[in-house]
Amino acid sequence: MAVKNPHFPNATVLGYPRIGRRRELKRAVESFWAGRTTADDLEATTHDLRLATVRHLADLGLGADGAAVPGSFSSYDQVLDAVALLGAVPERFAGLTTPEGRLPLDAYFTVARGAGDAAPLEMTKWFDTNYHYLVPEIGPDTPIGFVDDRVVREFTEAAHPADGGPAVVTRPVLVGPVTFLLLSKPADGAPEGFRPLDRLDDVVAAYAGVLRALAAAGAPWVQLDEPALVTDLLGVPFDEVADAVRRAYTRLATDLSPAPAADGATERPAILVTAPYGDLRSEAGDGLALLAGTDVEAVAIDLVRGAVPTGPVPGLETKTLVAGVIDGHNIWRADLGARLAVLEGLTAPGTGPGAGALAVGTSTSLLHVPHDVADEPRLDAGLASWLAFADQKVAEVATLATALTDGRAAVADQLAASTAAVRTRAAAPGVVVPAVRARAAALSAADVERAPYAERAEAQQAALGLPPLPTTTIGSFPQTAEIRTTRAAWVRGELSDADYTAAMRAEIASTVALQEELGLDVLVHGEPERNDMVQYFAEQLDGFATTVHGWVQSYGSRCVRPPILWGDVSRPAPLTVEWTAYAASLTDKPVKGMLTGPVTILAWSFVRDDLPLGDTADQVALALRDEVTDLEAAGIGVVQVDEPALRELLPLRTAAHPAYLDWSVRSFRLATAGAAPATQVHTHLCYSEFGQVIGAIDGLDADVTSVEAARSRMEIVPELADAGYARGIGPGVYDIHSPRVPSVQEVTDLVELAAKSIDPRLVWVNPDCGLKTRAWPETKQSLANLVTAANTVRATL
Ligand code: GLN
Ligand code: ZN
């Protein structure tokens, strides 16, 4: 089948959830891993899921034959798919590939999840989303070629379906070659100075092979995602990125012919390059001009996060501009009238960017939002009417496209409904709560200041009487199957409140007894009552709603249901006091109260789009501040406020960092500064590559900061000391991600190392993170070794 160089469809979405409306993919993949089903079973399930998805998208208004439906499926991760396509498998997995370099299905998952001594690819955050991708490892000798034509087969399976059902011409979606390499890290053993980008020509040659194969299969369009163009955080200067983009797209777009030859065949599909998650233009350089200067046929820009371009952009006049006016990253229904005005501005003669054609799109893939609002019968009807999940967003895109081609009158009803929803939302009770606004408005600088640290440290020592090198944990203890079953029964109404409380109390009592027996110095209640460190708080605070089916892929088969933060936040009743006070009643040792910080609560929720993030953070912080006061009143002298997401929320553009760090640090201080000097405030951050946030960590002004440090062998301690940090520091002494029990010697060495690089009086001894994913046997043994090691080093001080 041969195609003529086609026009881009007038409406599209950049990608769609892959997990399935009822998490069918999760279930199928996990039963394959468990050995309950075969690779063929899994292939059959994903085949059905893909066909159902593309047909559903066609029916929702994208149409079946214009390449408006993205072919954006992945069985695990789109970056891993690119690794598989290229056969770019690290040395340690080389034995798993076929002679041609292909990864069979089980090996594909092994690269993602590791096996025995072979560690999986590292996982890290995908731009500023809560999706996590696998980091490719590329060295000078890593094999790179076009070895796996899965993307071609998936195009064909939808375009010529074997089941005799409706055909859909999709637009295959691939991670772009430049982004692929910018997200890669050098393979182990790569020579000093080698950068994955050095392999650009090889990757581009392989992609040229993919494009030829897609053209031969009849694909009119292909989508190459290049979000690396919207971030400053990858550490490569703009000029080098620009050079790579020019080289890559000269080879792919200029050297390969999109025009039909005499026999009607083309060398490649038309190319759409997307730049989701932010602004292509920054102080560093103009990524929009860069893409406009290539020979690709279409460019998609994010007009939710990015600025609307004004003035002509040379080169764009020959291309389609896919205007990402519908937010793919958040769940609010769009103000269609306002979005239409943006679109009209783009086509205004003289003032617009001068695109050859305009199409309506989403700002990002819809991967980051749940499937369907209609699937949430328990959501308040008012709130539901303000929301748009993936399916509603497809309809919004289609409506805007109709308005552009046929005029506003053609979609008058939809526009009116959208305007009405925006109005009711703004006026709905709970969206603006005057008392909450008044309290935030009355805050002053004094509200974020505590007494000087020296004074606090003295008062805390007098109150707590801790030994040197105090031992503690990060908060959670094993969330056993039994705890989860008990909670599930309670949620279903099969267990009474009283029985549930009794079960959780029993768990707390045994956890406290164990900590006493182990000889830990600062105890915790163990968090058995928490389903999740954010959802637990969201369920109790006013201003949040939670969903039943609102699952979003976090990584691989892991999904989360982010709460929806829709209104002004306040705390109708204490959140944690009862459990913590119960634990404290069982022991003479200090018990640490555990709270999740404002930044982390926002980072792992869908946030409102009608209030600046910093203002919302202040509201959450005030609710937590009241909780701290109540904990103190209940006799709790140590409170930890976890902020594992502090670094996660760092904006992609460095120019936005100061403002972000300002409000995020302020909100933490607002949450904690109401504590008396004698109350010891802890914080916990889940990582140790502090880089750009090291100053902010000091700025939090916590009395004790615990961080992950075991894998980097305490590297963080001297770094923090150099940055001027001079309060308590708990560098993790063992990694909690595996069941491995650290030896006494190993922990002793690490504690000694820490005590050498900073004043030993500041050092705390604790694991890297919470223990909820661990089982009891290794937890007990590991903590026993931790306490022995702390005692050993203490004796030498
Ligand atoms: N207190 C939480 C726990 O122990 C912290 C988890 C986290 O840092 N992500 O589980
Ligand atoms: Zn952690």
Side-chain angles (χ1 to χ4, degrees):
M1 175 162 69
V3 287
K4 294 230 158 61
N5 185 11
H7 288 295
F8 196 79
N10 58 7
T12 193
V13 299
L14 302 191
Y16 187 78
R18 320 178 284 215
I19 205 77
R21 292 170 78 90
R22 286 292 177 273
R23 289 181 295 158
E24 291 88 347
L25 178 63
K26 174 192 178 69
R27 263 183 239 116
V29 162
E30 289 178 354
S31 47
F32 173 64
W33 293 344
R36 290 196 296 273
T37 50
T38 65
D40 286 348
D41 296 333
L42 178 55
E43 296 282 12
T45 308
T46 59
H47 167 269
D48 293 351
L49 186 56
R50 284 192 298 267
L51 271 189
T53 301
V54 298
R55 287 170 177 166
H56 177 62
L57 282 170
D59 291 347
L60 280 176
L62 296 183
D65 46 22
V69 173
S72 60
F73 183 79
S74 175
S75 294
Y76 195 95
D77 167 42
Q78 70 273 12
V79 182
L80 178 61
D81 290 347
V83 168
L85 178 150
L86 298 168
V89 175
E91 181 77 49
R92 62 185 179 284
F93 296 115
L96 301 178
T97 58
T98 65
E100 306 77 48
R102 243 175 13 84
L103 278 172
L105 197 56
D106 54 344
Y108 167 89
F109 290 122
T110 303
V111 174
R113 305 171 69 225
D117 285 346
L121 296 187
E122 190 187 306
M123 194 166 66
T124 196
K125 236 172 95 74
W126 176 251
F127 299 89
D128 62 349
T129 72
N130 287 324
Y131 177 78
H132 301 76
Y133 69 96
L134 293 168
V135 181
E137 297 169 20
I138 304 293
D141 306 318
T142 305
I144 290 177
F146 171 33
V147 303
D148 188 344
D149 67 349
R150 186 186 64 84
V151 57
V152 184
R153 284 183 275 120
E154 288 182 5
F155 172 79
T156 304
E157 109 198 333
H160 308 284
D163 65 359
V168 180
V169 176
T170 60
R171 184 179 72 249
V173 178
L174 295 168
V175 174
V178 176
T179 293
F180 176 80
L181 287 170
L182 286 173
L183 295 181
S184 299
K185 66 178 193 183
D188 280 345
E192 194 61 34
F194 171 85
R195 297 173 323 162
L197 203 55
D198 297 344
R199 300 290 307 274
L200 184 66
D201 290 346
D202 297 326
V203 171
V204 169
Y207 271 63
V210 182
L211 297 199
R212 286 177 195 276
L214 283 171
W221 283 89
V222 66
Q223 173 178 326
L224 299 174
D225 290 334
E226 294 285 14
L229 293 173
V230 308
T231 176
D232 298 331
L233 301 184
L234 299 174
V236 180
F238 181 80
D239 288 350
E240 286 173 46
V241 174
D243 183 55
V245 166
R246 279 189 215 103
R247 262 169 54 215
Y249 289 95
T250 298
R251 283 291 309 281
L252 296 177
T254 313
D255 295 354
L256 293 183
S257 169
D263 62 355
T266 64
E267 285 187 308
R268 65 166 174 87
I271 299 174
L272 164 67
V273 172
T274 74
Y277 308 113
D279 206 325
L280 272 167
R281 296 169 148 178
S282 76
E283 286 155 9
D286 187 342
L288 180 56
L290 174 69
L291 289 177
T294 68
D295 284 326
V296 304
E297 283 75 16
V299 175
I301 59 175
D302 183 333
L303 291 175
V304 175
R305 292 294 173 84
V308 178
T310 52
V313 179
L316 209 56
E317 67 283 352
T318 61
K319 301 189 197 322
T320 298
L321 182 65
V322 182
V325 289
I326 295 298
D327 194 349
H329 207 233
N330 208 339
I331 42 70
W332 301 105
R333 183 169 178 175
D335 181 344
L336 292 179
R339 301 282 85 194
L340 203 48
V342 170
L343 292 166
E344 286 159 355
L346 288 170
T347 49
T351 55
L358 189 66
V360 184
T362 51
S363 60
T364 71
S365 164
L366 298 175
L367 178 64
H368 312 297
V369 296
H371 279 82
D372 191 356
V373 179
D375 230 5
E376 296 294 338
R378 279 198 247 154
L379 221 48
D380 170 83
L383 174 58
S385 75
W386 315 331
L387 302 179
F389 292 176
D391 287 4
Q392 285 71 39
K393 286 173 191 288
V394 176
E396 289 182 333
V397 160
T399 301
L400 288 174
T402 307
L404 274 191
T405 44
D406 303 348
R408 285 183 179 235
V411 291
D413 290 352
Q414 289 97 318
L415 290 181
S418 160
T419 306
V422 170
R423 289 230 181 90
T424 26
R425 178 179 163 199
V431 170
V432 177
V433 179
V436 174
R437 298 284 167 115
R439 189 176 175 200
L443 292 170
S444 73
D447 293 312
V448 296
E449 280 307 328
R450 296 185 75 199
Y453 175 66
E455 189 183 312
R456 277 151 36 197
E458 205 181 302
Q460 289 161 22
Q461 189 49 27
L464 300 170
L466 294 170
L469 304 174
T471 55
T472 192
T473 61
I474 304 307
S476 59
F477 272 77
Q479 278 264 344
T480 57
E482 200 189 336
I483 296 177
R484 287 198 303 267
T485 314
T486 307
R487 183 164 31 256
W490 174 59
V491 169
R492 283 197 305 269
E494 290 159 15
L495 196 68
S496 71
D497 290 355
D499 288 346
Y500 177 69
T501 302
M504 293 303 120
R505 283 188 166 220
E507 190 65 32
I508 290 170
S510 69
T511 303
V512 168
L514 174 76
Q515 295 172 83
E516 284 200 314
E517 201 181 298
L518 288 166
L520 287 157
D521 298 309
V522 173
L523 313 193
V524 295
H525 78 287
E527 305 179 22
E529 79 289 4
R530 301 191 186 174
N531 41 12
D532 171 273
M533 67 184 288
V534 168
Q535 189 170 352
Y536 178 77
F537 289 88
E539 280 170 356
Q540 299 185 72
L541 290 169
D542 283 349
F544 285 87
T546 52
T547 63
V548 179
H549 297 297
W551 296 100
V552 174
Q553 191 176 14
S554 170
Y555 65 88
S557 69
R558 261 286 292 219
C559 302
V560 293
R561 265 181 312 176
I564 297 170
L565 205 175
W566 61 270
D568 281 353
V569 176
S570 60
R571 188 191 71 138
L575 312 163
T576 64
V577 176
E578 182 197 329
W579 305 113
T580 315
Y582 174 67
S585 75
L586 303 172
T587 175
D588 294 333
K589 295 252 176 111
V591 169
K592 178 163 69 168
M594 306 297 314
L595 304 175
T596 302
V599 177
T600 300
I601 289 182
L602 296 194
W604 297 346
S605 300
F606 287 117
V607 291
R608 40 199 306 191
D609 60 353
D610 58 348
L611 191 68
L613 221 43
D615 291 5
T616 312
D618 279 356
Q619 295 180 0
V620 176
L622 285 171
L624 295 170
R625 186 180 175 106
D626 294 345
E627 185 72 8
V628 172
T629 304
D630 285 348
L631 284 166
E632 279 182 324
I636 304 300
V638 186
V639 177
Q640 177 170 311
V641 178
D642 292 325
E643 281 293 21
L646 183 69
R647 193 193 56 174
E648 228 178 271
L649 225 51
L650 199 66
L652 298 176
R653 291 296 188 193
T654 35
H657 288 186
Y660 163 71
L661 291 172
D662 190 61
W663 72 251
S664 57
V665 167
R666 174 193 150 88
S667 70
F668 180 92
R669 293 175 68 132
L670 189 54
T672 54
T679 301
Q680 191 168 64
V681 174
H682 290 221
T683 190
H684 168 69
L685 311 160
C686 266
Y687 45 85
S688 57
E689 307 89 39
F690 287 146
Q692 278 135 328
V693 297
I694 199 151
I697 288 165
D698 195 37
L700 298 178
D701 196 30
D703 299 302
V704 181
T705 304
S706 64
V707 294
E708 177 194 312
R711 273 184 296 180
S712 64
R713 299 201 48 86
M714 308 280 130
E715 224 168 52
I716 182 64
V717 182
E719 277 172 34
L720 269 173
D722 287 350
Y725 183 89
R727 296 185 299 281
I729 167 83
V733 294
Y734 77 90
D735 177 14
I736 52 83
H737 292 100
S738 93
R740 199 178 144 270
V741 173
S743 70
V744 173
Q745 190 58 51
E746 201 178 315
V747 178
T748 307
D749 290 349
L750 290 179
V751 177
E752 276 174 347
L753 209 56
K756 258 185 234 144
S757 24
I758 202 165
D759 182 344
R761 284 171 301 180
L762 299 178
V763 176
W764 283 64
V765 181
N766 48 255
D768 266 347
C769 190
L771 302 164
K772 62 181 164 232
T773 56
R774 295 274 55 85
W776 278 110
E778 75 252 19
T779 298
K780 289 180 190 166
Q781 195 51 55
S782 300
L783 291 176
N785 293 357
L786 177 151
V787 171
T788 309
N791 285 334
T792 314
V793 185
R794 243 175 229 168
T796 68
L797 288 182

